[in-house]
Amino acid sequence: MDQRTAKQYFSTELLNWYMQNKRDLPWRRHRNPYYIWVSEIMLQQTRVETVKPYFERFITRFPALTDLAEAPEEDVLKLWEGLGYYSRARNLQAAAKQVLELHGGEVPSEKDAVFNLKGVGPYTAGAILSIAFNQPEPAVDGNVMRVLSRYFLIEDDIMKGSTRVKMETLAAELIPQGRAGDFNQALMELGALVCTPKSPHCLTCPVMEMCKGRIEGREDTLPVKKKAKPPRPEQRIAALVTGTSTNEGKILVRQRPQTGLLARMWELPHVLASVPGGLASQVPDEPAMDMMKGHLLEEGYAVNPKEFWKIAEHTFSHIHWNLQVYHCEQAEHIVSPAMVAERNESYKTEGDVYKWIGPEDMETMAFPNVFLKLIKEHFVL
DNA sequence: AAGTCGGGGGT
DNA sequence: ACCCCAGACTT
């Protein structure tokens, strides 16, 4: 009979399994704290397979922390294009500058210093400290909470902060002496490959014999998690404005404000068209087209709506966009000097900057995916 | 504690 | 359609 406790068994068997089954991932090829840090930021709420190409391009362009710290923010955002949660990119660069000024360019290995880096929370701090410096700190993410909730049959709601703290205490107790980095990665690897959210592969699990959740037949009902609120629907009218005369071959885009949703990203002009709970309008929607035309005129751009192009849908965590996209054409009009002055003033305060761009500009300007797809289709890129 | 912040893959 | 993902930050 196995004399080991459930915790001893778990730690030993899981670590042995990991050493035999760990994946060859780009950020596991070196033990460069900067690489590990970048990978952990990218991996927040993002799958491994999605991150791989982004990570490769990022460290090719910014091989060292100094390269990232000194780069134009536009370059950083462009490399993050399509990855989502763009404040991660801004915070990462800000933190790189922090490291340059406060720690001589070396990623700190002291707990408080790591925690104080922008964009580094409880999980990422633990990941950096354990994986890069092998310090015995827990790194509790969604994978870890799922694995622990099943193995130890913990029924606390994992959405609660108090549950994460409880899991961190437990995870810290499980770390084998001197093996923090490997063990923490083993926990996440098990969650990603075996102890999956749906249909966990218990038959091939290295710790199935003493898994309380499996023994009680609860593996499909754990972890306990309160359901998230559904995203609120928003109907929006977008314009793909093609330029005339000096703007022939170009389209009109604008840059979003410095804060909030998709901060500082470029986009096609669009306006909110519906009241919450209102019915989706049919296309072509003449009043909506007039609203779009009026909106752009206020911004100083006269356009003639042509025809409905297509519907584009995009879901954020908390908002669902239904975009009616219309083809428009730049129109001649006279702008008074007063209007130009007023507009320039509003640029400073609101941050909405409009610009005519061609296909070549797509190489430097960062767009959220919903607009990226539309514009690439228009330019046939 | 609840809301904000992307995007895609798996089922 | 819904769920979830190597979460952090703001209010």
Side-chain angles (χ1 to χ4, degrees), chain A residues 310-331:
Chain A
K310 60 161 62 181
I311 298 286
E313 305 248 11
H314 191 70
T315 307
F316 304 92
S317 303
H318 56 304
I319 309 172
H320 177 82
W321 277 357
N322 177 289
L323 290 167
Q324 287 180 18
V325 188
Y326 290 89
H327 281 295
C328 302
E329 195 175 75
Q330 181 185 10

Side-chain angles (χ1 to χ4, degrees), chain A residues 175-239:
Chain A
I175 298 173
Q177 191 65 236
R179 304 300 301 275
D182 285 329
F183 179 74
N184 283 348
Q185 293 182 82
L187 266 173
M188 295 186 278
E189 198 86 335
L190 189 74
L193 301 179
V194 178
C195 198
T196 47
K198 291 174 183 171
S199 316
H201 308 93
C202 296
L203 296 181
T204 61
C205 178
V207 294
M208 62 95 81
E209 282 182 35
M210 297 187 75
C211 176
K212 203 167 177 183
R214 184 196 63 81
I215 293 168
E216 301 285 330
R218 295 287 310 279
E219 69 271 19
D220 289 324
T221 61
L222 292 168
V224 174
K225 187 178 184 181
K226 194 174 64 182
K227 257 188 276 190
K229 268 177 56 178
R232 67 173 183 272
E234 280 187 5
Q235 174 115 31
R236 288 178 173 273
I237 314 299

Side-chain angles (χ1 to χ4, degrees), chain A residues 283-347:
Chain A
V283 293
D285 184 335
E286 301 287 353
M289 294 166 76
D290 285 343
M291 184 187 301
M292 184 72 231
K293 181 175 178 173
H295 172 71
L296 283 177
L297 196 57
E298 284 177 25
E299 305 287 333
Y301 293 88
V303 306
N304 291 321
K306 293 300 184 184
E307 72 280 348
F308 168 72
W309 182 23
K310 60 161 62 181
I311 298 286
E313 305 248 11
H314 191 70
T315 307
F316 304 92
S317 303
H318 56 304
I319 309 172
H320 177 82
W321 277 357
N322 177 289
L323 290 167
Q324 287 180 18
V325 188
Y326 290 89
H327 281 295
C328 302
E329 195 175 75
Q330 181 185 10
E332 297 298 331
H333 79 304
I334 297 172
V335 181
S336 70
M339 195 167 176
V340 171
E342 183 185 353
R343 205 167 77 231
N344 286 341
E345 200 54 40
S346 79
Y347 285 172

Side-chain angles (χ1 to χ4, degrees), chain A residues 23 55 68 76-77 83 92 95 114 118 193 298 358 374 379:
Chain A
R23 290 171 289 180
F55 177 80
L68 172 59
V76 181
L77 206 53
L83 197 53
L92 178 58
V114 174
K118 272 197 172 181
L193 301 179
E298 284 177 25
L374 291 169
F379 281 139

